[in-house]
Amino acid sequence: MEGAAAGAAQLKALRHRRGLSLADVARALIVLARELHQSPLPSVASVQRSVARWESPKRATLPDERYQLLLAHLYARTPAGELSLGAGSDFAEYLDALGLLGESERRTAELRGIILRAATDAGGGLLALLSPTIQATLTAALQDPSRTEQEAIAGLASAVADVNAEVGSLPMVRLQLLLAPAVETCRRLLANPLPDPLVPQLREVAVAAATLAGRLAFETRDDTASRALYAQATREAEQLAQPWRKASVHMSHALVTLYSTQGLDEARHLVSQAVRAARSGESTLVRARAHALQAEVAARSGQERQAQAALGLAWYDIEADHTGDPAPTSFTPGHLRGFEGVCELYVGDPSAAHDRFARSAEVLSAPREQVQRAIVTTDQALARIRLGEPRAAADLLHKCVAAAATTGGRVPALRLRKARQELRLWRREEWVADLDDHLMDVLGS
């Protein structure tokens, strides 16, 4: 109840900050419903009573999903009509208020994705993720890097994190367009003298931005740009006294290399670099992920003993105490079960692989994890084929097609093609033809 009261007070404060009465908000929501082609809202008086209930200090109620969306559109724009979705914005405060009123993180993330998608539909870019204050400080910093302030770097870091959080919710190409200005801003600022205390902070942002941009370039099939961005991220990471960041860059680069080149040598080299860096780093979760990736590469090479040894190290790391880990959300047991499944698929038992993939997919439910869920489910279908259940595999692949299309991700599409190739023996079956039609309709392949 205390949280609900705080949420109600926050909604009321947002309204007052904009100089709006209860009736003003009601009228604004009615107009927004009409502009968004929703069914008409009731009278101003009726909507006004709903607004008052959301702000009630004693018996606050949570707006229903329809009103949540309309309020999101209302607070996504400044009083001057400019989009502002980043940290410190009214929109961010509105989502926080919903959380206090009892709404789930999944729903607030969904609302954020809907509004960001609408922003990119209309041609909005990175500026939508920066508050007006941060925009002003960044503009001043670009004009004179010696005047760069910590607030500007924090805002830039928040914007990069916001783009990263939308992987799986927005198409990769849109995320790439959103992120590009942040990568360029980091590059330009680091090319000039900056206040010494701010250089490591900006370099951390540059590593995160270039690493994500390298992945997005790969996903949009620009391998040349991807390699250049990973090289940039590696150079910046090497100048930080944080080996776990360098390990993260190598792992991301290794994963895209694994799917974009023939053979395993280059990916194996990158994984070895990641493991060396992670072992001297501060993050046990990054170390667990590095060992898991090492296990996958070993399994794909047919090295069962090495794969099992690396998996053992990964489980040891992931079951350790992660208090104070600098990358607390970088890797989970659900992700690790997916790697276990890959190892079983290549050097073990397809039945065990199938069960591990199923368990992994079950827990990979967050919007940010949808790409990984699609990959795991496609691998689960491969296990079904090897178990002599091709039709059940095709049913699973239908679920993956939509996920691959939604994100525009390259890896799920490549995994789908590989799984389809394994169904060649049954190509004359009607259910295979249905899968081919689905692939062609949605992915054009």
Side-chain angles (χ1 to χ4, degrees):
M1 290 301 296
E2 291 179 2
Q10 199 157 308
L11 281 181
K12 186 175 183 177
L14 267 175
R15 177 171 61 79
H16 283 173
R17 188 185 307 154
R18 294 199 172 197
L20 299 174
S21 67
L22 293 172
D24 290 336
V25 172
R27 281 189 286 268
L29 296 181
I30 289 170
V31 170
L32 279 168
R34 184 167 60 249
E35 290 176 348
L36 295 171
H37 306 290
Q38 294 192 2
S39 55
L41 293 181
S43 67
V44 171
S46 177
V47 178
Q48 180 176 331
R49 286 193 292 272
S50 295
V51 178
R53 284 194 294 272
W54 307 331
E55 298 181 5
S56 171
K58 295 184 178 180
R59 301 185 63 181
T61 60
L62 181 69
D64 65 25
E65 290 194 355
R66 184 187 186 192
Y67 279 120
Q68 285 181 16
L69 179 60
L70 293 173
L71 287 165
H73 278 280
L74 175 64
Y75 289 119
R77 292 190 176 275
T78 66
E82 296 177 349
L83 274 168
S84 182
L85 310 177
S89 66
D90 285 355
F91 179 74
E93 190 168 337
Y94 161 66
L95 293 184
D96 184 55
L98 286 185
L100 290 170
L101 285 167
E103 188 52 86
S104 67
E105 289 186 15
R106 184 180 183 87
R107 172 58 181 166
T108 55
E110 181 184 53
L111 278 170
R112 198 174 186 290
I114 290 170
I115 299 301
L116 191 53
R117 179 180 288 270
T120 55
D121 279 343
L126 184 73
L127 291 180
L129 299 175
L130 300 172
S131 70
T133 302
I134 298 299
Q135 291 181 38
T137 56
L138 277 175
T139 299
L142 288 169
Q143 291 173 346
D144 182 359
S146 66
R147 296 171 52 198
T148 302
E149 299 177 4
Q150 186 169 11
E151 184 182 16
I153 296 175
L156 197 58
S158 177
V160 172
D162 285 344
V163 176
N164 186 47
E166 296 303 328
V167 173
S169 299
L170 288 176
M172 299 295 185
V173 67
R174 296 197 189 199
L175 296 176
Q176 189 177 31
L177 292 171
L178 278 171
L179 186 64
V183 176
E184 178 62 14
T185 299
C186 290
R187 187 193 65 78
R188 288 176 58 185
L189 289 176
L190 285 170
N192 292 278
L194 296 170
D196 289 342
L198 301 184
V199 174
Q201 298 174 37
L202 181 57
R203 191 156 273 135
E204 290 173 10
V205 181
V207 170
T211 302
L212 178 57
R215 183 212 169 158
L216 295 175
F218 164 78
E219 297 281 11
T220 54
R221 295 165 176 77
D222 191 345
D223 292 341
T224 300
S226 179
R227 285 191 291 271
L229 286 160
Y230 277 118
Q232 178 182 338
T234 301
R235 287 193 301 271
E236 298 298 341
E238 285 173 345
Q239 298 186 61
L240 289 169
Q242 298 172 323
W244 69 270
R245 291 188 185 275
K246 185 177 177 181
S248 296
V249 175
H250 287 320
M251 281 189 285
S252 182
H253 194 188
L255 281 167
V256 303
T257 301
L258 195 60
Y259 302 115
S260 60
T261 61
Q262 297 294 322
L264 295 171
D265 289 345
E266 190 176 350
R268 184 182 292 108
H269 174 66
L270 287 165
V271 170
S272 296
Q273 288 183 301
V275 170
R276 283 196 297 273
R279 284 176 177 169
S280 60
E282 311 88 332
S283 173
T284 55
L285 289 172
V286 167
R287 190 158 61 243
R289 186 175 174 225
H291 283 134
L293 189 51
Q294 186 179 43
E296 176 174 348
V297 172
R300 288 175 179 271
S301 302
Q303 300 171 328
E304 181 179 4
R305 182 176 59 80
Q306 292 91 329
Q308 292 303 322
L311 281 176
L313 290 172
W315 275 113
Y316 176 81
D317 290 327
I318 210 165
E319 291 173 348
D321 181 11
H322 303 137
T323 303
D325 195 297
T329 61
S330 59
F331 200 62
T332 67
H335 291 98
L336 182 50
R337 290 190 187 96
F339 281 98
E340 279 189 318
V342 170
C343 293
E344 291 286 358
L345 192 63
Y346 283 93
V347 292
D349 178 3
S351 178
H354 176 273
D355 292 346
R356 283 171 172 77
F357 287 137
R359 291 175 65 192
S360 179
E362 184 178 347
V363 298
L364 296 173
S365 58
R368 179 66 175 76
E369 297 169 332
Q370 292 315 293
V371 174
Q372 187 63 31
R373 179 183 173 88
I375 293 169
V376 167
T377 305
T378 307
D379 287 343
Q380 185 184 356
L382 277 173
R384 283 277 180 94
I385 294 170
R386 295 178 188 180
L387 287 169
E389 302 173 15
R391 186 159 188 173
D395 291 339
L396 278 174
L397 293 176
H398 276 289
K399 298 178 182 178
C400 301
V401 173
T406 299
T407 63
R410 184 177 176 185
V411 174
L414 289 171
R415 291 286 240 272
L416 277 166
R417 290 190 182 96
K418 177 175 174 56
R420 172 58 186 87
Q421 289 170 0
E422 299 260 346
L423 290 172
R424 282 176 295 188
L425 288 175
W426 299 274
R427 62 185 178 275
R428 298 186 186 281
E429 298 288 344
E430 183 178 350
W431 43 270
V432 174
D434 289 341
L435 177 61
D436 287 341
D437 288 343
H438 195 184
L439 286 166
M440 184 61 70
D441 289 345
V442 176
L443 297 178
S445 61

